[in-house]
Amino acid sequence: MHKAKKEIREVIPKMDLIIEVLDARLPFSSENPMVASLRGDTPCIKMLNKSDLADPAVTQQWLDHINHTSGMKAIAVNLKQPDKIRSVLAMAPAMVPERNLEVSQLKAIILGIPNVGKSTTINILASRTVAKTGNEPAVTRQQQRIKLPNNIVLLDTPGFLWPKLEPRDCGYRLAISGAIKSTVIEFEDVAMYLAEYMMQYYPDALVQRYQLKDIPHTGIELFDRIGQRRGCMRRGGIADTHKVAEILINEFRDGQLGRITLETPDMIADHGSRKSGEGS
Ligand code: G4P
């Protein structure tokens, strides 16, 4: 990880553009924490990927929020709309107007935490299958320079960059999405966080999916009700929490609970104010 950080720290100042692939369901938590600190004035395109799984109204809030930040443009994409992903190839030159692409290449780096869909996005941009970079032995460890149309060269860097685990909510959201392994945070805690979030923000989706008469008052009650519905009860009428946790998380990841977003720009502003109020 240290090597990856070092590489990225050296390479970003040489880039014309940063393309960051984010998960549209958690655009703040899935940001690479290093990008904000290393970006400087380099223009940045934030691709909110997996938009097919995210709440469209909240995705629009995120697009507006990011598009108001100087030097940044956001676009919501998903693998079912490859042409929209490829529209980034037209957006990129507009973000670097001083670069004459007939004379010199536009150098862009692509970043994204694991499982966000970076490889899928690269393959669509390049219109071919590009070997995946990463930190596992089976995948390419070298930096790759990928030639794209419009005289754009995309730099893909290997290495695992530790995602945001603070504030605590970010860690939970990343674990729900599958970006971090459930060994980092207890799996059942992760599902309980999702259950309580859904009860607060998407109660109708729970009612519909699990045919509930009403919304229970606590996450534990919700687990019991799902357990009853899905036949995973232990003796004594208590839900098998591990099985229910798996059901909830898997059905969220597959989009079976509906299009759900785990954070809004307002919630993030709230994290910031809680943080600045800490210790006062
Ligand atoms: P990474 O390089 O960032 O690690 O991610 P990768 O492209 O390998 O994608 C991770 C998983 O996310 C893959 O699913 C991929 O199909 C899925 N994915 C990528 N983009 C989208 C999208 O826009 N919408 C949805 N719904 N899923 C997306 P997988 O289960 O790991 O593999 P597979 O289903 O492709 O076999």
Side-chain angles (χ1 to χ4, degrees):
M1 182 166 66
H2 179 70
K3 186 166 171 273
K5 267 189 178 175
K6 194 167 162 268
E7 254 172 34
I8 287 184
R9 186 166 281 135
E10 282 168 8
V11 102
I12 282 190
K14 297 178 194 153
M15 292 291 121
D16 298 309
L17 178 70
I18 298 167
I19 298 175
E20 187 171 22
V21 186
L22 302 174
D23 187 323
R25 297 165 300 172
L26 46 149
F28 174 75
S29 299
S30 60
E31 267 178 347
N32 187 310
M34 284 180 75
V35 174
S37 62
L38 295 179
R39 182 185 149 230
D41 294 329
T42 311
C44 183
I45 298 177
K46 302 245 179 194
M47 299 180 74
L48 274 54
N49 191 41
K50 305 196 184 187
S51 64
D52 54 314
L53 299 174
D55 179 335
V58 185
T59 299
Q60 191 54 53
Q61 289 176 22
W62 277 111
L63 293 174
D64 294 342
H65 177 78
I66 297 168
N67 284 329
H68 272 100
T69 311
S70 165
M72 277 199 197
K73 281 265 173 280
I75 181 169
V77 294
N78 66 73
L79 55 75
K80 293 169 197 155
Q81 296 175 321
D83 287 344
K84 199 162 177 204
I85 292 183
R86 285 189 206 105
S87 73
V88 165
L89 298 171
M91 257 169 105
M95 298 209 46
V96 192
E98 65 282 4
R99 168 83 62 201
N100 181 348
L101 294 180
E102 281 172 22
V103 181
S104 59
Q105 291 172 326
L106 188 157
K107 293 194 278 305
I109 184 167
I110 188 158
L111 299 167
I113 62 165
N115 202 40
V116 79
K118 188 178 73 162
S119 312
T120 311
T121 305
I122 292 174
N123 291 343
I124 293 172
L125 287 174
S127 301
R128 64 190 164 91
T129 304
V130 175
K132 188 167 179 159
T133 60
N135 53 332
E136 293 146 38
V139 292
T140 315
R141 294 192 63 97
Q142 308 301 317
Q143 277 190 358
Q144 292 202 84
R145 299 168 70 81
I146 303 147
K147 285 191 95 170
L148 301 181
N150 295 1
N151 211 7
I152 300 170
V153 174
L154 194 62
L155 186 70
D156 183 22
T157 49
F160 180 71
L161 291 165
W162 196 247
K164 269 185 211 167
L165 293 178
E166 287 295 331
R168 183 179 146 273
D169 300 79
C170 290
Y172 277 109
R173 292 170 191 146
L174 288 163
I176 291 169
S177 75
I180 58 174
K181 296 272 174 278
S182 43
T183 44
V184 179
I185 309 176
E186 194 66 48
F187 188 64
E188 285 151 42
D189 281 354
V190 172
M192 186 56 76
Y193 182 97
L194 176 62
E196 289 172 355
Y197 181 83
M198 295 285 300
M199 284 163 58
Q200 190 173 355
Y201 295 100
Y202 295 96
D204 295 347
L206 288 174
V207 167
Q208 214 177 323
R209 181 76 192 160
Y210 302 112
Q211 295 157 7
L212 305 174
K213 281 197 220 74
D214 50 25
I215 282 291
H217 293 105
T218 64
I220 294 173
E221 248 183 274
L222 177 63
F223 265 47
D224 283 342
R225 300 251 206 115
I226 297 174
Q228 282 158 4
R229 279 267 162 237
R230 294 297 175 87
C232 26
M233 300 300 284
R234 289 184 191 281
R235 252 183 259 152
I238 299 162
D240 180 334
T241 48
H242 192 79
K243 281 194 182 148
V244 173
E246 269 178 355
I247 290 172
L248 253 180
I249 302 248
N250 290 338
E251 295 192 356
F252 166 83
R253 289 182 187 165
D254 292 347
Q256 287 170 302
L257 293 180
R259 296 177 71 176
I260 311 285
T261 298
L262 296 174
E263 58 193 13
T264 67
D266 285 349
M267 284 177 202
I268 300 317
D270 187 43
H271 289 329
S273 57
R274 262 193 282 156
K275 212 173 174 191
S276 58
E278 276 167 15
S280 58

